């Protein structure tokens, strides 16, 4: 029997590492399980049906490896499949959109908030829904940025190209006089310093930071849940395809050694005879 005592995080790829970084600082010592679906990234250009299928499989995988609680490290999944995940699993599942929305409302002074995210996130109007529910007078401007997640996965563009891509995406929002910008995709904090250089007066909201703080508060309130979580300062990383880019991005972004990344064949692991398959070669450990 697998012991369910870890905090599970998943994303389509390296994006959720921006959440892991905040979890390291707000919840040091807690054991984490990370799954990056590098075989199927990007999620943001896919249909709701496909994103939901991926989200169900990713969550099931984390549970099969011992997650006791799951934070969705992907805004696209939060936007499209949060309810479905909650309906299908009995462990607590935490979303990443609402924490960012609350923080944006705390930060804005002129009530004009910009959202950038994947095409699926922007289409879902999830941010607008929460923002208008909490503060109906707020004005929301959004723009999908389909190139940014692939760029974060494989950052081989010159600074000049990155800057002009960012400008193309952000200028229409800035023109509307927004004072606060929600980075509505966990891949986007990789570009925080470039965005700050371009628009130094914008309040930039990283929802992953707020989600990590919210989880900390939840565990302070729910002592029973907290006592079930293991705290051996151990993090396991799984990806569904070659870990090369993942490892590179990890080292650029996270100041902590990485012992190994495991490459997992989701189809094999999630077949009905799961327990047997855990012992075959569907999970390969790669030393880095
Ligand atoms: N990092 C993800 C998000 O927060 C998804 C990026 C993608 O795969 O398109 O939306």
């Amino acid at each position: 029997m697998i012991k369910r005592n870890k905090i599970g995080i998943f994303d389509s790829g390296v994006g959720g590492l921006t959440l892991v970084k905040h979890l390291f600082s707000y919840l040091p010592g807690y054991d984490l399980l990370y799954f990056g679906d590098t075989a199927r990234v990007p999620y943001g250009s896919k249909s709701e049906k496909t994103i939901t299928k991926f989200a169900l499989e990713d969550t099931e995988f984390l549970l099969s490896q011992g997650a006791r609680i799951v934070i969705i490290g992907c805004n696209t999944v939060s936007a499209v499949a949060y309810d479905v995940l909650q309906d299908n699993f009995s462990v607590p599942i935490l979303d990443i959109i609402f924490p960012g929305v609350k923080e944006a409302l705390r930060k804005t002074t002129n009530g004009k908030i910009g959202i950038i995210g994947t095409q699926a996130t922007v289409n879902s109007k999830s941010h607008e829904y929460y923002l208008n529910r909490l503060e109906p007078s707020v004005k929301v401007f959004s723009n999908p940025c389909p190139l940014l997640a692939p760029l974060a996965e494989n950052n081989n563009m010159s600074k000049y190209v990155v800057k002009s891509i960012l400008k193309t995406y952000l200028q229409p929002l800035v023109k509307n006089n927004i004072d606060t910008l929600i980075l509505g995709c966990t891949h986007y904090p990789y570009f925080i310093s470039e965005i700050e250089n371009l628009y130094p007066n914008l309040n930039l909201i990283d929802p992953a930071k707020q989600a990590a703080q919210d989880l900390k508060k939840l565990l302070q309130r729910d002592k029973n849940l907290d006592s079930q979580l293991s705290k051996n300062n151990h993090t396991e990383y799984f990806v569904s395809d070659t870990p090369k880019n993942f490892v590179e991005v990890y080292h650029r972004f996270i100041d902590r050694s990485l012992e190994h990344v495991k490459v997992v064949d989701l189809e094999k692991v999630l077949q009905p005879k799961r327990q047997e398959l855990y012992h075959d070669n569907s999970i390969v450990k790669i030393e880095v």
Side-chain angles (χ1 to χ4, degrees):
M1 265 288 271
I2 292 216
K3 207 166 171 198
R4 290 239 178 111
N5 55 10
K6 295 178 186 142
I7 300 173
I9 303 113
F10 71 90
D11 177 49
S12 57
V14 299
L17 289 177
T18 61
L19 172 61
V20 167
K21 191 172 177 160
H22 293 300
L23 290 172
F24 283 156
S25 75
Y26 287 104
L27 292 168
Y30 284 69
D31 293 346
L32 310 181
L33 264 179
Y34 185 90
F35 176 62
D37 197 3
T38 52
R40 307 191 288 195
V41 65
Y43 281 9
S45 53
K46 311 255 177 356
S47 66
E48 280 193 24
K49 190 173 163 210
T50 300
I51 296 164
T52 304
K53 174 182 179 284
F54 291 172
L56 286 164
E57 290 171 356
D58 299 348
T59 306
E60 195 180 340
F61 173 71
L62 287 174
L63 297 185
S64 77
Q65 301 301 310
R68 172 68 186 84
I69 178 167
V70 171
I71 312 196
I72 306 173
C74 175
N75 292 258
T76 306
V77 168
S78 268
V80 168
Y82 180 44
D83 293 345
V84 178
L85 293 183
Q86 284 198 309
D87 290 347
N88 277 274
F89 300 102
S90 55
V91 299
I93 310 243
L94 307 185
D95 100 308
I96 195 164
I97 289 189
F98 193 58
V101 160
K102 284 186 297 179
E103 180 64 4
L105 287 173
R106 279 192 286 268
K107 283 279 157 63
T108 183
T109 51
N110 72 0
K112 293 184 179 172
I113 296 176
I115 318 284
I116 50 172
T118 65
Q119 190 67 60
T121 299
V122 170
N123 287 353
S124 76
K125 297 207 175 298
S126 224
H127 290 90
E128 283 88 336
Y129 171 77
Y130 287 130
L131 282 165
N132 288 322
R133 243 181 49 181
L134 295 179
E135 184 49 73
S137 67
V138 92
K139 294 237 170 340
V140 187
F141 304 91
S142 57
N143 207 10
C145 307
L147 289 181
L148 291 187
L151 199 57
E153 288 285 325
N154 197 346
N155 191 354
N156 52 8
M157 293 286 175
S158 73
K159 281 197 162 53
Y160 174 78
V161 175
V162 172
K163 194 171 151 186
S164 53
I165 292 174
L166 286 171
K167 261 179 141 171
T168 307
Y169 286 142
L170 296 177
Q171 200 53 33
L173 301 175
V174 172
K175 264 194 180 156
N176 282 304
N177 200 24
I178 58 164
D179 70 350
T180 301
L181 177 70
I182 299 181
L183 305 174
C185 170
T186 48
H187 283 74
Y188 300 172
Y190 292 114
F191 304 107
I192 275 186
S193 59
E194 286 89 346
I195 299 175
E196 277 172 348
N197 285 341
L198 281 169
Y199 305 106
N201 298 326
L202 276 185
N203 300 311
L204 296 185
I205 309 296
D206 176 359
K209 184 174 175 191
Q210 309 308 321
Q213 285 177 3
D214 281 7
L215 175 58
K216 183 177 177 166
K217 285 184 204 149
L218 170 72
L219 296 178
Q220 281 166 347
R221 281 199 311 272
D222 191 340
K223 298 275 181 240
N224 178 37
L225 177 61
D226 187 49
S227 68
Q228 293 172 44
L229 296 174
S230 54
K231 300 165 186 93
N232 304 308
N233 203 17
H234 181 246
T235 302
E236 268 182 283
Y237 297 93
F238 297 88
V239 290
S240 52
D241 203 346
T242 167
K244 189 173 167 292
N245 287 342
F246 183 88
V247 171
E248 272 171 24
V249 174
Y250 180 96
H251 287 307
R252 241 187 297 131
F253 197 67
I254 293 190
D255 186 19
R256 199 186 255 228
S257 64
L258 176 66
E259 279 161 36
H260 56 254
V261 178
K262 293 173 189 169
V263 178
V264 57
D265 181 338
L266 268 197
E267 257 173 51
K268 278 192 181 178
V269 174
L270 299 182
Q271 273 173 15
K273 285 185 167 183
R274 293 184 188 121
Q275 291 305 330
E276 284 167 37
L277 287 165
Y278 293 151
H279 300 294
D280 77 1
N281 64 357
S282 58
I283 295 179
V284 183
K285 198 185 237 185
I286 306 235
E287 303 295 335
V288 291

